[in-house]
Amino acid sequence: MKKGFTTKRLCRAGVIAALYVALTYVFMPFAFGPFQIRPAEALCILPLFFPEAVPALYVGCILSNLASPYVLFDALLGSLATLLAALGTYMVGVFVKKEGLKLLLGGLFPVLCNAFIIPIIIVFLCGGAEGYATTTVAYFSFVGSLFLTESVWVYALGTPLYFAIRRIKNQTLEY
């Protein structure tokens, strides 16, 4: 198998980034904030299969976050959360061989990175703690809601995507 930069990998990265942006923009009114309707997060399992998904998700997230109400911080820090998550997921794909464990651990990185980093942007950097007793209460409330919503997208949508890609890759190897 050819390693490194190839036209196929560049094209695949472009498609992943474009899908991430398109799926985020379709759900634009609900894609940002403490409770995110962002099905694009299902794509965060792709680094388990494709190393080019790491920069693709990062670029897709940057472009998506340009529409965020917290654009300055979200485009920088929110995208870095996605990059860290994608790198962690990729490393799971490299080192974990057991299928169920690979999916479970690979999905954990986007869930945890987004659940703990995005509330920092909303609560501490953008002052989104109105209506809460303290910023600490606001932060952990947002951690809980983002953990829940991110888990739904990564696992409920990402799991069927994972098995579909695995099946396609296994069929291609048979020929």
Side-chain angles (χ1 to χ4, degrees), residues 1 7 19 34 37-38 49-50 61 78 84 87 89 112 118 147 154 160 164 172 174:
M1 183 172 163
T7 304
L19 277 172
I37 308 297
R38 204 181 249 211
F49 298 100
F50 311 112
C61 191
L84 287 172
L87 286 169
T89 301
L112 293 177
I118 302 307
F147 183 88
V154 170
T172 340
E174 291 175 5

Side-chain angles (χ1 to χ4, degrees), residues 33-52:
F35 189 78
Q36 298 186 355
I37 308 297
R38 204 181 249 211
E41 292 297 309
L43 300 174
C44 290
I45 61 97
L46 293 178
L48 292 173
F49 298 100
F50 311 112
E52 60 273 18

Side-chain angles (χ1 to χ4, degrees), residues 44-108:
C44 290
I45 61 97
L46 293 178
L48 292 173
F49 298 100
F50 311 112
E52 60 273 18
V54 174
L57 291 168
Y58 178 60
V59 169
C61 191
I62 289 172
L63 295 173
S64 295
N65 287 343
L66 292 176
S68 169
Y70 317 109
V71 66
L72 178 63
F73 297 113
D74 219 1
L76 297 171
L77 298 176
S79 302
L80 282 176
T82 297
L83 179 60
L84 287 172
L87 286 169
T89 301
Y90 171 72
M91 296 310 290
V92 167
V94 169
F95 293 111
V96 177
K97 299 303 174 202
K98 196 170 185 177
E99 290 298 325
L101 189 59
K102 182 185 287 194
L103 177 60
L104 179 69
L105 293 177
L108 202 55

Side-chain angles (χ1 to χ4, degrees), residues 3-171:
K3 299 283 183 187
F5 177 80
T6 65
T7 304
K8 183 177 183 177
R9 286 185 173 186
L10 178 63
C11 291
R12 186 180 296 130
V15 168
I16 293 168
L19 277 172
Y20 190 97
V21 173
L23 285 170
T24 302
Y25 278 29
V26 164
F27 292 90
M28 183 63 68
F30 312 105
F32 301 100
F35 189 78
Q36 298 186 355
I37 308 297
R38 204 181 249 211
E41 292 297 309
L43 300 174
C44 290
I45 61 97
L46 293 178
L48 292 173
F49 298 100
F50 311 112
E52 60 273 18
V54 174
L57 291 168
Y58 178 60
V59 169
C61 191
I62 289 172
L63 295 173
S64 295
N65 287 343
L66 292 176
S68 169
Y70 317 109
V71 66
L72 178 63
F73 297 113
D74 219 1
L76 297 171
L77 298 176
S79 302
L80 282 176
T82 297
L83 179 60
L84 287 172
L87 286 169
T89 301
Y90 171 72
M91 296 310 290
V92 167
V94 169
F95 293 111
V96 177
K97 299 303 174 202
K98 196 170 185 177
E99 290 298 325
L101 189 59
K102 182 185 287 194
L103 177 60
L104 179 69
L105 293 177
L108 202 55
F109 281 95
V111 170
L112 293 177
C113 286
N114 282 297
F116 285 97
I117 295 172
I118 302 307
I120 292 171
I121 296 167
I122 297 170
V123 174
F124 297 111
L125 299 177
C126 297
E130 301 91 28
Y132 291 89
T134 66
T135 54
T136 304
V137 171
Y139 174 77
F140 284 107
S141 295
F142 291 172
V143 166
S145 67
L146 284 167
F147 183 88
L148 176 67
T149 57
E150 189 74 12
S151 294
V152 167
W153 303 121
V154 170
Y155 289 112
L157 286 180
T159 298
L161 179 62
Y162 173 88
F163 286 111
I165 291 171
R166 193 184 78 183
R167 186 175 60 246
I168 291 167
K169 285 185 75 101
N170 287 341
Q171 287 174 350

